[in-house]
Amino acid sequence: MTQTAPQLDHEIVGEVPPPPPGPLLVVEPGRRRTAAEEARALVATHSICSLATLTADGDPWASLVSYGAMDDGAPVLYVSTLAEHGRNLAADRRASIVVAETVDPDADPLDSPRVTLLGVAHRPEGDELEAARAAHFAALPIATSYQGFGDFSFWVLRVRRVRWVGGYGRMDSADAASYAAAEPDPVAPVARQAIAHLNADHADALLAMARALGGHPDATAARVARLDRYGMDLLADTPRGADAPARVPFAEPVAHADDLRAATVELARRARAA
């Protein structure tokens, strides 16, 4: 007899709040970053991670460490054997890291993006060592002060598995090849400032986008929740309820951070023309 795996879901206790209202009009689904692109965006825009290694007894050991990233997204660690994680890596090269987005103190931390990379670390040599050194010091210039200490060494984590979580209901996995081939998002380093600016100074334009391009013609207000090279995620207030989601794509993917303003202006013009 064939057995099927149980379907896991949350146990429902008490009343469940209603979902946010959906669009009233059919709109084309806007392109989104893949899980691999999401992971590369997080890794490229941060330099601190939680590192999990294995002790001599096989116990998991978590540490806070700094890293840089190679051109293929492989994290470069610069660790000391005076630290337990450094000794752990020397004995067992299996490791994983977690990179998490910094969140507003008032926000739900579990609804914020993070990525787990699992792989096997190795000591680079030759040209790879020079590339690893350059990548780490580019991300963390202060780490050059450790170069005189013989207990420090570079390790490159060769990624074998990727798990990205974008928040509640937003998660996916990627394989190593997809992760290595994905490009870091040029908008990611400026996304937070851009979102704050749009929400503070361009409420009328965001409302027009939600109404004309997001499928919510009854929207009374809108704000940007997320922003990437392909477009915006808006949350609109409507008479049917708040936080109605809408994906509004840019006309073309943004190739450089400096092009973001032109892309958002084009969106506003398109929305007002519609």
Side-chain angles (χ1 to χ4, degrees), residues 4-50:
T4 58
Q7 297 299 309
L8 302 179
D9 205 343
H10 293 292
E11 180 182 358
I12 305 301
V13 179
E15 295 185 2
V16 178
L24 292 176
L25 302 178
V26 177
V27 293
E28 289 294 326
R31 181 177 176 181
R32 294 183 177 276
R33 292 191 300 212
T34 64
E37 289 176 312
E38 294 281 5
R40 286 297 301 273
L42 271 172
V43 171
T45 52
H46 293 76
S47 58
I48 297 294
C49 68
S50 295

Side-chain angles (χ1 to χ4, degrees), residues 101-173:
E101 184 69 81
T102 305
V103 297
D104 187 298
D106 297 326
D108 184 346
L110 296 182
D111 196 31
S112 62
R114 62 267 193 191
V115 62
T116 299
L117 305 180
L118 178 146
V120 177
H122 74 276
R123 295 276 301 273
E125 299 178 349
D127 291 343
E128 186 186 20
L129 173 58
E130 294 309 310
R133 188 194 313 274
H136 190 88
F137 290 161
L140 291 140
I142 195 172
T144 58
S145 60
Y146 306 141
Q147 289 186 99
F149 299 114
D151 51 286
F152 273 84
S153 55
F154 289 99
W155 293 84
V156 175
L157 182 68
R158 285 301 167 200
V159 177
R160 293 185 173 180
R161 181 181 171 192
V162 178
R163 182 62 175 175
W164 162 75
V165 177
Y168 293 126
R170 302 176 64 243
M171 59 197 71
D172 202 355
S173 298

Side-chain angles (χ1 to χ4, degrees), residues 7-102:
Q7 297 299 309
L8 302 179
D9 205 343
H10 293 292
E11 180 182 358
I12 305 301
V13 179
E15 295 185 2
V16 178
L24 292 176
L25 302 178
V26 177
V27 293
E28 289 294 326
R31 181 177 176 181
R32 294 183 177 276
R33 292 191 300 212
T34 64
E37 289 176 312
E38 294 281 5
R40 286 297 301 273
L42 271 172
V43 171
T45 52
H46 293 76
S47 58
I48 297 294
C49 68
S50 295
L51 168 67
T53 56
L54 294 170
T55 69
D57 295 328
D59 297 324
W61 186 262
S63 308
L64 190 67
V65 301
S66 58
Y67 73 92
M70 304 276 276
D71 289 343
D72 63 355
V76 180
L77 311 175
Y78 192 35
V79 299
S80 167
T81 50
L82 295 181
E84 184 155 354
H85 54 257
R87 299 194 298 274
N88 290 345
L89 275 181
D92 190 327
R93 300 187 177 192
R94 291 175 296 171
S96 69
I97 69 169
V98 174
V99 180
E101 184 69 81
T102 305

